[in-house]
Amino acid sequence: MLAKRDIILKGVAASSGIAIGKVFFLEEDDFCVIRKDLPTRDAREIEKKRLNSAIEKTRAELRVVYTKIDEVLGKNYARIADVHLLILDDPTMKKDVYELIDSGVNAEYAVFKVIDKIVCSFEFIEDDYFRERKIDIQDIGKKIIGNLFDKQRKTLASLEENSIVVSHNLTPADTMTIREKLVKGFATDIGGKTSHTIIVAQGLSIPAVVGLKAISSQAKTGDVIIVDGNRCEVILSPTPETIAKYRKEYTLQFAKRKELEKLKNLSAETTDSHKVLIFANIDNPDEIQSVLSNGAMGVGLYRTEFIYFNRDSMPTEKDHFENYSKVAKIMSPYPTVIRTFDLGGDKLTKLGLLNVEHEKNPFLGLRAIRLSLKYPEIFIDQLRGVLRASAYGKIRLMYPMISEIEELYEANKVLNKVKQDLRRENIEFDEQMEVGVMIEVPSAAMIIDIISKEVDFVSIGTNDLIQYTLAVDRVNENVAGLYDPLHPAILRFIKRIIDESHRTGISVSICGEMAGDPHYVPVLLGFGLDQFSVSSAQIPEIKRIIRSISFEDAKKISEEVLRCGSKDAILKIMNTIYTQ
Ligand code: PEP
Ligand code: MG
């Protein structure tokens, strides 16, 4: 047996904390199609039978999807599955696959080759819409091949408690399941600094490291590993000494957290009495206890995407109402800012929203408010749920990813129509409910003087503002080094948003990850930020820092930082002021 030795892998982003435990390896969905030669006629006939039953299985699965979409969204949407059924029944495709099998190859390979040929021929179609239908064909191919393999993915459902999940990739929806399974932590090959997977992990206080590049090929089920979310590292084959060292650190951290708990009921106030508010970000109503126990003065960002994850049909108005009213009631009299769904990008559902699942540039595509305006039926259900819940607590509504003023007008038009309907139906809601937007696209930051006159508040989504301003994919570990909140362009944008919003008399929050990083607190404070909205677990440390400096000093620091032209110069200043 090989002697234990620490193998340290560095990731690009982490959810803080330490987890020590055994690996549960989660396999990828993808499969590799290999050509096998079938020399005998009998073997080929068996292969055709296998193909037929895989097609039948695929057909049955598609019918289920069709019925579900039809029930929830109506016939128009059900056509997505309908198109797939038509492709599946295409006689030419089946004939071509049969012919290939007859030439002596296995069914998986034959399907793969025929689909590939059809997809290539689509490249020459000029019409964008029809050219993109190749995706439907690829989908069908994958489904048939999957059923030919008849290989069940070792799913998250089989997860064992107290394990550490290692996978090539996890989606935010997977992360939700991880929470239910009480796993200790996770580590993945891919993922960037503010991928939603890591944000959800932070909200759930699960130690995690993403962007490790090759952990999925180095760790296997049963191995003992350490996830060090504080240093963004994973340690494979840890020696007994390393395990002991980490156990000690874990205990120290626990003690520090206990110490910080004493700040819970104190205000977030500088030494010269400048007060700000610290709110919490949540991804799920279950986090609310932790919001309260960490002393948040409200929920500054309620990400509602979770309602759409891990289910087979669209959430109903009742689902929305129940989730939001539960949080609003518990948080009352503090406010709860509910963000309308921000699906798309790295947050996909299995609900078959037309066109979204296969976009080439999903972060620049049909995401967030764009999706809401494209699918008003889904948006309306959510708005009705939010408005009805507003009768039970102090709810504020926030639209994500606004990039032009017209989108805000459009969204408000839908909102006003929903309000009219509710009035007609005699359903109670808060007529004064405030409406705000996230500023997370550079175009919105540039027209903040215009936007701020049309809303009650704004919240800066630095996760996206950084991605879109610096042209750096937030989930791509290859460019993670370029993803930097200290880029002078970002700091200037933030300052501009705060100044212009204050000029119109509205408050500004930051709900991106930047607000939860202790290093940035003095500068953001000095810029005049009104609210920090962060993961519950980060609240005590952010409060400690705010209480340890004066507003006057923070302003001087932020002025100095704004004069710097390079990230390095800014970093130097930051490092001198952060107090551990
Ligand atoms: C952001 O972009 O900063 C933000 C808070 O929204 P999300 O991370 O959900 O995109
Ligand atoms: Mg965002």
Side-chain angles (χ1 to χ4, degrees), residues 322-339:
E322 282 170 358
N323 275 292
Y324 310 150
S325 54
K326 181 175 161 189
V327 173
K329 269 187 216 160
I330 299 175
M331 286 310 295
S332 181
Y334 298 132
T336 299
V337 180
I338 299 183
R339 179 179 73 180

Side-chain angles (χ1 to χ4, degrees), residues 23 94 113 138 158 174 214 269 271 311 322 337 519:
V23 167
K94 195 165 172 188
K113 283 310 265 183
Q138 277 166 330
S158 54
D174 290 338
E269 187 174 345
T271 53
R311 56 187 299 151
E322 282 170 358
V337 180
H519 294 87

Side-chain angles (χ1 to χ4, degrees), residues 60-229:
E61 287 166 0
L62 286 173
R63 288 229 169 90
V64 173
V65 174
Y66 181 92
T67 315
K68 272 184 191 151
I69 300 180
D70 187 19
E71 270 168 24
V72 181
L73 291 175
K75 285 261 174 300
N76 269 349
Y77 295 99
R79 278 196 204 113
I80 315 158
D82 214 10
V83 169
H84 283 183
L85 278 166
L86 282 174
I87 299 169
L88 189 70
D89 286 331
D90 181 66
T92 322
M93 186 177 84
K94 195 165 172 188
K95 185 173 133 282
D96 288 353
V97 177
Y98 264 46
E99 274 177 18
L100 260 183
I101 294 177
D102 278 333
S103 77
V105 298
N106 53 327
E108 289 88 342
Y109 184 75
V111 174
F112 174 75
K113 283 310 265 183
V114 169
I115 295 285
D116 196 43
K117 195 169 135 205
I118 302 174
V119 167
C120 286
S121 66
F122 267 61
E123 292 297 344
F124 301 103
I125 297 177
E126 284 204 357
D127 183 288
D128 287 348
Y129 178 79
F130 284 107
R131 193 173 56 251
E132 288 312 312
R133 291 314 91 218
K134 69 177 184 211
I135 288 159
D136 295 315
I137 301 191
Q138 277 166 330
D139 255 11
I140 285 298
K142 269 194 193 164
K143 284 191 168 75
I144 303 174
I145 295 173
N147 282 327
L148 275 165
F149 275 116
D150 203 20
K151 188 175 105 177
Q152 293 289 315
R153 183 186 186 211
K154 195 173 167 191
T155 64
L156 284 160
S158 54
L159 265 184
E160 279 155 29
E161 285 189 3
N162 288 326
S163 53
I164 292 178
V165 175
V166 171
S167 180
H168 176 62
N169 186 25
L170 288 171
T171 64
D174 290 338
T175 317
M176 287 291 177
T177 316
I178 279 183
R179 165 185 142 269
E180 281 152 23
K181 295 285 176 179
L182 300 173
V183 305
K184 284 180 161 175
F186 67 83
T188 62
D189 291 342
I190 67 173
K193 284 197 181 152
T194 57
S195 48
H196 284 99
T197 306
I198 208 76
I199 291 174
V200 173
Q202 248 154 28
L204 302 170
S205 301
I206 300 175
V209 180
V210 300
L212 288 153
K213 291 210 159 84
I215 186 156
S216 69
S217 58
Q218 285 173 273
K220 57 181 190 318
T221 298
D223 288 354
V224 172
I225 62 167
I226 298 171
V227 174
D228 179 352

Side-chain angles (χ1 to χ4, degrees), residues 196 199 301 303 339 342 347 367 438 440 461-464 474 511-512:
H196 284 99
I199 291 174
L301 170 65
R303 289 185 171 96
R339 179 179 73 180
D342 180 13
K347 287 175 289 191
R367 182 188 163 194
M438 292 194 66
E440 48 186 350
T462 45
N463 302 340
D464 278 313
R474 62 191 268 188
C511 58

